[in-house]
Amino acid sequence: MDLKSKIVQQNLPQHIAIIMDGNGRWAKQSGQPRLFGHSNGVRAVREVTEASAELGIKYLTLYAFSTENWNRPEMEVMGLMSLLVDTVGKELDTLLKNNVRLRSIGDLSKLPNSTKDALERAILKTKDNTGLTLILALNYSSRWEILDAVNKISKDIRNGFLPGDINESVFSNYLSTVGIPDPELLIRTSGELRISNFLLWQLAYTELYFTDTFWPDFSRQHFYEAIDSYQSRERRFGKTSEQLETS
Ligand code: IPE
Ligand code: IPE
Ligand code: MG
């Protein structure tokens, strides 16, 4: 059965976030170094980005490097950083061709200059694109993001720029995801059942989808399966089913 044709356009998530996990274990299965897993994960990134653009999804957020990932062996960290430079450089033309706008969340200031430059260049070049917004979470952690927002808020209060109460909408404006709607669907690959410091505020009412597939094996069909699962769920937001039926 062609899963793509099952997808209901009227009930498409606007924003899908993905914790791309399992590259290391995927490589280990075939006796390869962990970095081999990371470079093979790029194919899945390309496939999911293309599929999102085709379906008309507006935002796709990919967790590419967490604040905690600095604790990995230096060789792996450096390998990941140069893979990022390489990939962003190689994919830039395709992003432009497919009308994809690149954005990032996370503290880019701590990234090596070459990685930061490649990223900033691609963000600038794609800034006027109007199709899919592809958001890379890099040196990102949700607790960092929340504390960063709190510090900015307290500074603005001290300087008299923020007179009123802080409500959800004011707070959201201080997060790195400002202007981006919360994800309706979160996918995590590789069988791990945790959030790993990702989008803690934004995931408040997100539908969670976990699959055992390792990220380098994740294909369009797996992506459609996740969307199909999302579309079969009832999102109640605290209400009862009966209330939803009558509204
Ligand atoms: C995800 O795969 C990629 C990053 C965290 C950068 P992992 O490298 O975490 O792979 P496993 O979880 O060790 O298999
Ligand atoms: C989460 O994966 C971070 C990314 C996918 C970039 P990890 O593999 O680092 O997560 P934990 O540490 O196992 O929870
Ligand atoms: Mg992992």
Side-chain angles (χ1 to χ4, degrees), residues 11-55:
N11 186 21
L12 207 59
Q14 280 194 85
H15 182 181
I16 299 181
I18 307 185
I19 303 177
M20 311 183 286
D21 200 11
N23 295 352
R25 279 163 286 164
W26 181 88
K28 200 173 172 191
Q29 273 179 343
S30 44
Q32 299 283 347
R34 296 180 55 85
L35 273 171
F36 183 70
H38 297 314
S39 30
N40 276 276
V42 175
R43 185 209 48 80
V45 170
R46 199 178 298 125
E47 212 163 304
V48 163
T49 307
E50 276 173 18
S52 300
E54 276 171 28
L55 285 172

Side-chain angles (χ1 to χ4, degrees), residues 169-183:
S169 138
V170 170
F171 189 76
S172 297
N173 284 337
Y174 283 85
L175 294 171
S176 57
T177 48
V178 53
I180 302 170
D182 291 342

Side-chain angles (χ1 to χ4, degrees), residues 85 108-121:
V85 180
L108 295 193
S109 71
K110 305 269 164 41
L111 297 179
N113 284 337
S114 55
T115 310
K116 195 162 57 126
D117 293 350
L119 205 69
E120 280 171 351
R121 186 168 162 266

Side-chain angles (χ1 to χ4, degrees), residues 19-27 34 37-38 63-66 69 72 76 80 188-190 192 194 214-216:
I19 303 177
M20 311 183 286
D21 200 11
N23 295 352
R25 279 163 286 164
W26 181 88
R34 296 180 55 85
H38 297 314
Y63 204 4
F65 192 86
S66 74
N69 288 146
R72 293 192 176 192
E76 181 171 349
L80 274 166
R188 182 169 190 151
T189 58
S190 90
E192 303 300 354
R194 55 179 174 263
F214 290 142
W215 179 250

